[in-house]
Amino acid sequence: MGLTILLYSCHLFPFVVFVIILVVNEVYFYVRNKSIPFPQIKRLSIVLLPVILLFIIFIISNNQFEHKPPKYIEKIELWHQLCRLQPLITMNVENETPYVNVYFYCILFLFLSSIVYIVLKKQLVGKHLPWLVSSLLILGVFFFSPDWVSSGGLISIRWLLFFYLLSVIWIALVPFNPNIKFLTASIMLITSFFFSSDKINDGSAPVYEP
């Protein structure tokens, strides 16, 4: 209960992602065991009740304000953000895109390799499955949620960040060849090193001297 209140107090997005993961895990438990997990549902309700009450109070207190209609990003632009790992681009799209492309193709390779592995090994059901389902749900929200509402903006890029985070966790849980994972992670690490070096050499990154 304290964790949910802390997440909600920090920001709405980590809390929503946390709730999605919890609900998906409970549904996974029900489907796998073919029984309704009443104790887990009771605990989940108790954990979420304080935050639900806080959210209702927030909605009621903001009803007096005039809200503008939400703004959406075109689907093709969302697709471009997905493919160029938009959350990692911080300063210059043109300069950072070559490095980010390496990250994207490495993650895509691991993602597809994990899917092929669980299909060939018939391990579709396992502890990794809730993380895959959660990441795909967040990807769906990313494509269909507004990017700006009256209470804040930059919504889409935050959903995208959590999609990649949960996808990486899922990839880590799939037990396929660890050497391939290590090699791919090494490529990403080396790319990050060269990217940081270029940033320092061209003067676009601050250098702190003792």
Side-chain angles (χ1 to χ4, degrees):
M1 184 182 298
L3 177 60
T4 57
I5 296 176
L6 177 62
L7 287 173
Y8 182 80
S9 302
C10 292
H11 204 281
L12 181 61
F13 278 92
F15 169 73
V16 173
V17 173
F18 177 71
V19 171
I20 290 175
I21 295 171
L22 278 180
V23 172
V24 169
N25 272 276
E26 295 303 325
V27 173
Y28 169 75
F29 179 89
Y30 166 70
V31 172
R32 186 172 185 180
N33 295 279
K34 298 180 180 180
S35 62
I36 301 177
F38 288 108
Q40 287 87 342
I41 293 176
K42 181 180 178 181
R43 288 197 296 268
L44 183 62
S45 302
I46 294 174
V47 166
L48 297 179
L49 181 60
V51 180
I52 293 174
L53 293 176
L54 289 173
F55 184 70
I56 292 174
I57 293 173
F58 171 78
I59 295 296
I60 294 174
S61 62
N62 279 269
N63 276 338
Q64 56 184 335
F65 300 106
E66 182 179 352
H67 297 285
K68 297 180 180 179
K71 298 179 182 179
Y72 292 82
I73 297 179
E74 294 291 333
K75 295 295 187 294
I76 186 65
E77 175 59 25
L78 292 175
W79 176 255
H80 289 160
Q81 290 186 13
L82 174 67
C83 294
R84 66 172 177 248
L85 269 174
Q86 188 67 31
L88 291 186
I89 297 179
T90 57
M91 303 181 74
N92 189 301
V93 175
E94 183 178 353
N95 292 341
E96 297 180 27
T97 297
Y99 299 98
V100 173
N101 284 340
V102 175
Y103 304 147
F104 171 74
Y105 287 116
C106 285
I107 294 176
L108 179 63
F109 169 74
L110 290 175
F111 194 92
L112 296 178
S113 299
S114 299
I115 291 178
V116 171
Y117 177 86
I118 63 176
V119 171
L120 293 180
K121 297 294 185 178
K122 298 180 180 180
Q123 296 183 6
L124 295 175
V125 178
K127 62 180 181 180
H128 58 82
L129 183 59
W131 293 98
L132 174 61
V133 174
S134 299
S135 65
L136 295 179
L137 284 175
I138 291 175
L139 182 62
V141 175
F142 163 72
F143 275 107
F144 293 101
S145 67
D147 185 60
W148 183 91
V149 293
S150 296
S151 58
L154 297 175
I155 296 174
S156 299
I157 197 171
R158 301 179 192 184
W159 287 125
L160 186 58
L161 175 63
F162 281 111
F163 161 71
Y164 276 112
L165 174 62
L166 297 188
S167 296
V168 169
I169 294 175
W170 174 69
I171 291 170
L173 290 174
V174 176
F176 79 95
N177 196 322
N179 294 325
I180 296 178
K181 291 184 178 180
F182 177 79
L183 177 61
T184 310
S186 299
I187 293 173
M188 297 176 69
L189 185 62
I190 294 172
T191 302
S192 179
F193 171 78
F194 282 109
F195 170 68
S196 301
S197 299
D198 285 350
K199 281 297 209 180
I200 294 175
N201 292 333
D202 65 15
S204 59
V207 178
Y208 301 96
E209 297 181 356

